[in-house]
Amino acid sequence: MNRKTKMTEIIAEMIFTACAALAILTVLSICFYILLKGVPAIRQVGPKEIFLGTEWRPTAKAPRFGILYIILTSLAGTFLAAIIGVPIGILTAVYLAEMADPQRAGMVRDAVEILAGIPSVIYGLLGIRLLNPLVYRLERKLFAGSETHRFTGGANLLSAVLVLALMMLPTVIRISETAIRAVHPGIKAASLALGASRIQTIFHGLLPAAGPGLLSAVVLGTGRALGEAMAITLVSGGSVNAPFPFCSVRFLTTAVVSEMGYAQGLHRQMLFTIGLVLFGFILLVNGTAAAIQRKKLEK
C-alpha cells in the first residue's frame, strides 16, 4: 500500500467517524433540549396532575394540565392504526415479492411511491372532504335518537385511525418487501421440496425467516403513526376526550401543533413536556424492538 492510498483511507475513516459522531451528538442534543424544556413543568405542576389528570384547560383562570386522555388517545390511535395498517402492508409486500408478475408489481410499487410522497396535509384535506362525511353518516345511524352523544361531524378517533393506517402503508410495504426478498432462496426451495404449498411456504417459511425485517417495518410504521401531526389535526376534531371511536379527540402531536403558536409561560413549558412524553414513547418502541431482535439473534 503506497503512501497516497494510506492517506486516503485515513481521511475517509476520519470523515466516517465524524459523521457517526455527529449522529450521536444530534440525538444527545435533542434529548438534552427536550429534558431541559420539559422537566420544569413536571416539577411545577406535579406528575400526578399531569399524568393522571383528565382536564386540559391551560388558558383558564385556574389552569389544568392533565394529559391522561391525550396520552391514551395517542396510544389507542397508534395501536388501532397498526392493527389495520400492518397486516395490509405485510400482505401487500408478500404479493409484490412472491405473487405479482413484474408488470403488476411495478404498478403497485408506483402507487406505493405516490402514497409515500403525498404530503401529510393532503391526507388531512382528503380526510375532511371524503372520510369525515362517510364516518359522520355512520355516526348518525349508530347514535340516532341519542340524547347524550356529542356528534362530531365525522371528525373523531375513527377517522384519525383510518388516516394513520393509510399513512403507515408505504413504510410497512417497502421495508417488508425488502425483508422478504432478503430471505435465503434455500428456505423457499426446501419448503417446496418437502411438499408444502405456495401459501404454506410463505406463511410458515418466508415470513418467519423475514421476522427481524418485518419487525423493523412495524416499528418504523408505528413511529410514523405516533409522530404524525398535521393530517390528524384536521380529521380528529381536536377536543380532549377519552379515546372512544366516535369522540372528538386530541393526540400528543396535535396538542403541540395546535397550541404552540400562542402558548406562553407554564402553558408553553407543558407543551414541551408533552413533547418529552412523545419522545419517550418513541424511544420505548425502538428499544422494545431492539430487545426483541437481540433475543431472536441469541436463540
Side-chain angles (χ1 to χ4, degrees):
M1 183 183 295
N2 57 42
R3 184 176 180 182
K4 184 177 180 180
T5 303
K6 188 174 181 180
M7 286 298 298
T8 301
E9 290 191 356
I10 293 174
I11 294 173
E13 183 178 353
M14 292 175 61
I15 293 174
F16 297 150
T17 303
C19 291
L22 180 61
I24 296 173
L25 180 62
T26 301
V27 173
L28 293 177
S29 299
I30 293 173
C31 292
F32 176 76
Y33 184 78
I34 293 294
L35 287 170
L36 183 66
K37 293 293 184 178
V39 171
I42 299 177
R43 293 177 178 174
Q44 186 171 346
V45 179
K48 184 176 180 181
E49 178 179 344
I50 293 174
F51 299 112
L52 298 180
T54 58
E55 295 183 58
W56 176 259
R57 296 181 298 173
T59 58
K61 291 184 178 180
R64 306 291 292 179
F65 297 102
I67 63 172
L68 177 62
Y69 282 166
I70 301 176
I71 293 174
L72 293 178
T73 295
S74 287
L75 294 178
T78 302
F79 177 73
L80 293 173
I83 288 178
I84 297 171
V86 168
I88 295 175
I90 292 177
L91 293 178
T92 303
V94 169
Y95 174 78
L96 292 174
E98 294 296 324
M99 295 185 173
D101 58 68
Q103 184 177 0
R104 293 181 180 178
M107 293 174 60
V108 175
R109 288 194 190 95
D110 290 342
V112 171
E113 292 297 328
I114 292 173
L115 284 177
I118 295 175
S120 59
V121 67
I122 302 299
Y123 283 103
L125 292 175
L126 292 176
I128 290 175
R129 298 296 299 174
L130 301 177
L131 181 60
N132 283 3
L134 295 176
V135 174
Y136 186 42
R137 291 179 188 175
L138 177 61
E139 184 181 8
R140 284 189 299 176
K141 289 182 180 180
L142 292 176
F143 296 96
S146 174
E147 297 180 356
T148 58
H149 179 72
R150 295 181 180 180
F151 287 91
T152 63
N156 48 42
L157 178 62
L158 179 59
S159 296
V161 166
L162 295 176
V163 170
L164 287 177
L166 179 62
M167 296 181 70
M168 289 174 63
L169 288 180
T171 301
V172 176
I173 291 172
R174 288 186 296 185
I175 298 176
S176 297
E177 183 188 359
T178 301
I180 294 170
R181 290 186 179 279
V183 174
H184 194 281
I187 294 178
K188 180 179 178 180
S191 178
L192 294 174
L194 290 172
S197 67
R198 191 177 185 185
I199 298 300
Q200 289 174 328
T201 298
I202 290 172
F203 285 97
H204 296 286
L206 295 182
L207 292 184
L214 298 181
L215 180 60
S216 298
V218 173
V219 170
L220 292 176
T222 302
R224 171 74 192 274
L226 192 60
E228 179 52 44
M230 187 56 65
I232 55 175
T233 298
L234 299 175
V235 301
S236 63
S239 300
V240 179
N241 292 306
F244 294 109
F246 292 97
C247 286
S248 174
V249 292
R250 181 174 297 185
F251 289 68
L252 289 168
T253 51
T254 60
V256 176
V257 168
S258 60
E259 299 182 19
M260 185 59 78
Y262 63 87
Q264 296 180 352
L266 182 59
H267 181 193
R268 189 178 182 87
Q269 291 179 346
M270 271 302 305
L271 295 182
F272 277 101
T273 301
I274 291 176
L276 178 62
V277 173
L278 181 62
F279 189 66
F281 283 143
I282 295 294
L283 293 179
L284 180 62
V285 170
N286 291 336
T288 302
I292 293 173
Q293 286 184 338
R294 282 197 298 269
K295 287 184 178 180
K296 287 186 176 181
L297 291 175
E298 290 174 359
K299 292 180 180 180

